Amino acid sequence: GAGVSQSPRYKVTKRGQDVALRCDPISGHVSLYWYRQALGQGPEFLTYFNYEAQQDKSGLPNDRFSAERPEGSISTLTIQRTEQRDSAMYRCASSLDGSGNTIYFGEGSWLTVV
Amino acid sequence: EDQVTQSPEALRLQEGESSSLNCSYTVSGLRGLFWYRQDPGKGPEFLFTLYSAGEEKEKERLKATLTKKESFLHITAPKPEDSATYLCAVQAPDTGNQFYFGTGTSLTVIP
């Protein structure tokens, strides 16, 4: 696609429910990144992939968070047993590869846990 | 220690009043320093990439420069439409090749 596409744009879920956030990167981009952004803050790294391989998941807050990119294209960030503190903007970005190439962001998925 | 520090946190300028935003970094082996603009409710929009000290890039009223320890985003004769949050990010082996972002500078240009 022309840009990074994320869905849903807005998600309200009840505490304890699982949520899945989807990212469709720019066509041909090898690297895909997940970030979380709080209001007034810069994006905070969660995890990234080259192709289907998860290269770094050091930013995932705890084991309720997981991500996959099984075919090296679309990625899903899953949060299990959501808690109110998980409420945030979740942003996906992609780049041609991971070697100093620019990353391009999607519009984000705004998650609210009630 | 923060790897990327941006200053000031917020900046108010009169239209036409030039100024600079600062991004200082502590990583070694910089692979790239990136500037983004972010409007409220939107994703960060790419502006510039700088790779080595001494490099400069320009786009309209914006010019980005890079030294071994910091980058400046110079804004010449800003207009109200330049109001946004400006983010910088670094990528380096120190950061695990992640892109590590600063907290941004919120710029307001008053007509």
Side-chain angles (χ1 to χ4, degrees):
Chain A
V4 178
S5 178
Q6 291 187 247
S7 62
R9 290 292 312 280
Y10 303 94
K11 176 71 176 178
V12 179
T13 191
K14 291 186 177 179
R15 190 174 51 193
Q17 296 292 307
D18 297 351
V19 296
L21 307 177
R22 172 188 161 118
C23 173
D24 193 351
I26 293 172
S27 179
H29 276 197
V30 167
S31 300
L32 184 148
Y33 301 79
W34 283 99
Y35 283 83
R36 181 167 66 177
Q37 189 173 19
L39 283 174
Q41 299 294 313
E44 174 193 21
F45 172 81
L46 295 176
T47 185
Y48 91 94
F49 295 81
N50 281 341
Y51 299 103
E52 72 281 0
Q54 192 169 23
Q55 299 293 317
D56 185 342
K57 57 181 181 178
S58 62
L60 295 176
N62 51 61
D63 60 8
R64 294 186 297 105
F65 287 72
S66 63
E68 62 175 10
R69 194 186 184 197
E71 296 179 2
S73 179
I74 292 169
S75 176
T76 302
L77 176 70
T78 302
I79 309 172
Q80 295 179 310
R81 305 180 302 282
T82 52
E83 301 177 6
Q84 284 188 322
R85 59 179 171 153
D86 300 332
S87 297
M89 173 67 78
Y90 289 85
R91 297 199 186 276
C92 177
S94 70
S95 71
L96 203 55
D97 64 40
S99 305
N101 276 294
T102 302
I103 60 173
Y104 297 91
F105 283 88
E107 290 298 303
S109 291
W110 183 255
L111 174 66
T112 302
V113 182
V114 297
Chain B
E1 181 186 2
D2 287 344
Q3 292 163 310
V4 180
T5 303
Q6 291 190 247
S7 62
E9 287 186 13
L11 182 62
R12 287 171 66 89
L13 299 173
Q14 292 289 331
E15 186 172 0
E17 179 188 2
S18 301
S19 188
S20 295
L21 313 182
N22 177 266
C23 172
S24 62
Y25 60 93
T26 58
V27 298
S28 301
L30 184 74
R31 284 197 167 179
L33 185 141
F34 305 81
W35 282 99
Y36 288 83
R37 169 191 171 126
Q38 187 170 27
D39 292 297
K42 299 286 190 180
E45 176 188 339
F46 169 71
L47 293 174
F48 304 108
T49 307
L50 302 165
Y51 293 105
S52 56
E55 191 174 359
E56 297 183 353
K57 293 217 175 141
E58 266 185 271
K59 179 181 177 180
E60 296 180 352
R61 296 178 292 283
L62 300 176
K63 183 167 87 172
T65 61
L66 181 65
T67 72
K68 288 187 177 179
K69 288 298 176 189
E70 59 191 347
S71 176
F72 292 93
L73 185 65
H74 307 277
I75 304 177
T76 302
K79 298 182 177 182
E81 54 261 43
D82 295 323
S83 297
T85 295
Y86 291 85
L87 295 163
C88 79
V90 297
Q91 190 195 35
D94 277 10
T95 69
N97 289 321
Q98 309 161 14
F99 286 74
Y100 194 94
F101 283 82
T103 54
T105 294
S106 175
L107 173 67
T108 303
V109 181
I110 305 160

